[in-house]
Amino acid sequence: MNFASDNIVGASAPVMEALMRANAGTMLAYGNDEITKRIKARFAEIFEHEVSVFLVTTGTAANALALSSAVPPWGLCVCHREAHVIDDECGAPEFFMHGAKLIGLPGVGAKLTAETVRSYLEGLPKAVKQMPPKALSISQVTECGMVYGLDEIATLSAVCREHGLTLHMDGARFVNALVSLGCTPAEMTWKQGVDILSFGATKNGCLMAEAIVVFRPDLAEALDYRAKRAGQVISKGRLIAAQLEGYFADDHWYANARHANRMATLLSEGLTQLPGVRLAWPTEANEVFPIVPKTLDRALKAAGASYLTWTEASLPENEKIGADEVIIRLVLSFATQEEEVSKLLDVARAALSRQAAE
């Protein structure tokens, strides 16, 4: 019963098969191979737009390099205060932005609203002593499992245009959000004003394969050099591209995300039927954030369940966590089996029944 992350499972079979095919024989190095060329063309087809694509091995590299292309050393990048870029990447974005800063704003469910961003931007002094805002970064899916709707992305983009900011999307769970919204990649990105995307695939079936997808040509000009300086121009680059080829084939990436999201819905529905359990935020993709009694938390862990406890920082105003309660995070993946979900629910029911009888 390991629900700690969608990073805990290996790569999916189609991805590994594509990787093994690419491993045979010899090909040009440093991304000059035919597989990489095919994948870059495939990204343009998927997004219905001419794009520049830079393949990297980690989401941290994707985010840090993407933001470095948009924010000069004297600039600010605005994000949610719990965003992965500010909270979980050991300062990598600021390191690669060479002194630029990240500023975190509040928002329910780790989502930013246009009103919050606009208010912050308009409240900044304009003197040279103040670092000017240059980019806005949003997480899709957010760190609390919520999904920005198309209209929400569009309104944030409008604020960016008003104030001259680049809009970056951290898409670590990109396709989980697509499945949730029922839209196309184009509709969730450049059609709503996204300028640059960190495209995640590792959490949804790849071994280690991410991409920076650039919709605005000026942001791509220096990324080849930035990627090289960051150690992300891989000599055997075909082995990153091959993973994505297996990932995209026959809409495998969609199938994986649909399964993960469905498992999350199943778990969420089961948990909310239990006495004393409620959701901190709606289940909108492949993560579930129940508020549970601490006694249940201990019982689940004693039974071997693995997951993380979570922060209260982005709860709705009317939601309060009791002294005997805790928020936990349960993440479902493409490899999660329905039996695992059922087992966790059975353990929870039994624990709550025992407690009620005592």
Side-chain angles (χ1 to χ4, degrees):
M1 295 189 292
N2 196 331
F3 300 93
S5 177
D6 36 11
N7 276 330
I8 61 171
V9 295
S12 65
V15 168
M16 290 301 293
E17 289 162 6
L19 186 60
M20 291 302 295
R21 288 194 297 272
N23 190 58
T26 61
M27 295 185 195
L28 292 174
Y30 298 106
N32 295 307
D33 58 279
E34 292 303 314
I35 303 175
T36 299
K37 291 176 183 177
R38 289 199 301 267
I39 277 299
K40 290 184 175 183
R42 183 76 179 104
F43 270 103
E45 293 173 2
I46 287 169
F47 285 93
E48 307 169 52
H49 196 283
E50 287 300 314
V51 291
S52 297
V53 179
F54 302 86
L55 304 184
V56 296
T57 57
T58 70
T60 296
N63 283 333
L65 292 172
L67 291 176
S68 76
S69 74
V71 184
W74 57 88
L76 283 178
C77 174
V78 179
C79 60
H80 191 275
R81 64 187 180 188
E82 290 192 84
H84 208 81
V85 293
I86 197 172
D87 213 27
D88 294 281
E89 295 184 325
C90 198
E94 291 171 323
F95 178 81
F96 283 96
M97 292 188 296
H98 300 293
K101 300 298 182 186
L102 291 160
I103 182 73
L105 303 182
V108 173
K111 290 174 77 172
L112 293 172
T113 66
E115 292 76 15
T116 298
V117 175
R118 182 182 285 111
S119 176
Y120 172 76
L121 295 175
E122 292 179 354
L124 287 174
K126 303 300 189 286
V128 71
K129 64 182 180 180
Q130 170 65 51
M131 299 175 82
K134 292 296 183 179
L136 172 67
S137 179
I138 61 173
S139 303
Q140 184 75 318
V141 179
T142 78
E143 284 68 25
C144 295
M146 297 189 70
V147 175
Y148 283 96
L150 300 185
D151 57 336
E152 292 175 306
I153 300 170
T155 56
L156 286 166
S157 172
V159 174
C160 288
R161 299 297 171 263
E162 290 169 19
H163 295 272
L165 274 63
T166 294
L167 180 55
H168 166 255
M169 178 180 283
D170 175 0
R173 295 184 173 93
F174 184 82
V175 68
N176 298 94
L178 283 183
V179 169
S180 178
L181 294 175
C183 65
T184 68
E187 289 168 342
M188 202 171 76
T189 53
W190 63 269
K191 287 189 176 182
Q192 308 308 326
V194 174
D195 298 302
I196 188 166
L197 165 71
S198 297
F199 178 90
T202 303
K203 293 180 186 296
N204 193 47
C206 283
L207 187 66
M208 53 180 75
E210 315 279 313
I212 305 166
V213 182
V214 189
F215 303 103
R216 224 176 72 197
D218 62 295
L219 295 175
E221 289 176 2
L223 267 171
D224 275 323
Y225 300 100
R226 292 180 186 276
K228 179 62 177 175
R229 285 164 59 90
Q232 289 293 322
V233 178
I234 310 300
S235 62
K236 297 181 182 180
R238 73 182 194 263
L239 300 181
I240 302 177
Q243 294 173 62
L244 291 166
E245 198 157 57
Y247 187 63
F248 290 140
D250 301 317
D251 281 342
H252 176 59
W253 58 314
Y254 276 98
N256 281 358
R258 287 191 188 101
H259 176 81
N261 285 15
R262 186 172 66 84
M263 291 296 101
T265 298
L266 188 66
L267 180 58
S268 180
E269 291 174 348
L271 287 169
T272 53
Q273 292 174 15
L274 301 177
V277 176
R278 63 192 186 279
L279 295 180
W281 304 281
T283 299
E284 296 183 345
N286 67 317
E287 297 171 282
V288 183
F289 291 84
I291 300 168
V292 303
K294 287 182 177 178
T295 52
L296 177 56
D297 173 45
R298 290 193 290 268
L300 290 173
K301 288 176 178 173
S306 296
Y307 50 81
L308 299 179
T309 55
W310 212 249
T311 171
E312 304 173 21
S314 295
L315 285 173
E317 285 186 11
N318 61 349
E319 181 63 80
K320 304 298 180 186
I321 305 300
D324 60 344
E325 294 180 318
V326 64
I327 305 173
I328 65 174
R329 185 190 78 158
L330 303 158
V331 188
L332 294 299
S333 78
F334 73 92
T336 301
Q337 299 298 309
E338 193 166 329
E339 292 76 15
E340 295 175 82
V341 174
S342 297
K343 183 177 180 181
L344 184 81
L345 292 172
D346 288 343
V347 170
R349 288 190 199 99
L352 291 170
S353 294
R354 285 195 303 272
Q355 291 164 22
E358 291 174 356

